[in-house]
Amino acid sequence: MSKKIILIVDDQGELRKLVRMTLEYGDYELHEAENGQRALELAKVIKPDLVLLDVMMPGEVNGYQVCEKLKQANNEKNPYVMLLTARGQKSDLEEGRRVGADSYLVKPFSPLELIKNVENALA
């Protein structure tokens, strides 16, 4: 069975490193992007099974826009998108649902919480 491909998208290098270190013990192929534009470019090439996506990122494309574009792309498979955000208000959750996010993980989260959510997403 081939490894599941995970794309980690966050403008904070420390958070990407923490997520990578948490998940590298699993049988995953891990990729990183530091902004929304790079995430969209990389997703076309690697075709991830799961995208861990920060909502608030600098640049022209935020996490909600990335999610919406990934879900609208006419691919054989659309990735599971888990939004990672410090914004857990009802309006934020509704916006995530509107753009097609599959789930939400509110920062700060524990490594065990991340692992459990990733395993559930890829099950």
Side-chain angles (χ1 to χ4, degrees):
M1 188 169 145
S2 63
K3 289 186 175 188
K4 294 288 187 179
I5 300 169
I6 299 175
L7 176 57
I8 304 161
V9 186
D10 200 297
D11 58 308
Q12 295 180 357
E14 306 82 36
L15 188 74
R16 288 195 314 271
K17 182 179 178 182
L18 176 71
V19 170
R20 175 182 277 281
M21 288 171 58
T22 301
L23 296 177
E24 66 189 1
Y25 296 102
D27 196 26
Y28 306 120
E29 181 181 319
L30 302 172
H31 298 268
E32 296 179 32
E34 67 283 349
N35 61 50
Q37 191 58 47
R38 179 73 183 125
L40 291 170
E41 293 164 3
L42 201 51
K44 285 181 188 169
V45 176
I46 66 169
K47 299 185 180 8
D49 297 290
L50 170 64
V51 179
L52 300 173
L53 181 59
D54 184 24
V55 171
M56 296 183 295
M57 291 183 288
E60 297 175 20
V61 188
N62 69 30
Y64 291 128
Q65 293 164 316
V66 171
C67 180
E68 195 166 34
K69 287 182 163 104
L70 289 172
K71 291 299 189 173
Q72 289 175 347
N74 292 325
N75 299 328
E76 315 80 65
K77 63 169 187 174
N78 282 327
Y80 186 103
V81 177
M82 184 183 305
L83 295 179
L84 306 179
T85 183
R87 300 173 61 162
Q89 303 298 321
K90 186 172 185 247
S91 60
D92 300 312
L93 300 173
E94 287 171 355
E95 180 65 7
R97 276 193 291 278
R98 187 191 70 75
V99 297
D102 296 290
S103 66
Y104 238 95
L105 192 54
V106 178
K107 299 176 189 176
F109 48 81
S110 73
L112 289 175
E113 192 178 6
L114 176 65
I115 290 167
K116 185 179 78 157
N117 279 273
V118 166
E119 288 174 349
N120 288 340
L122 294 173

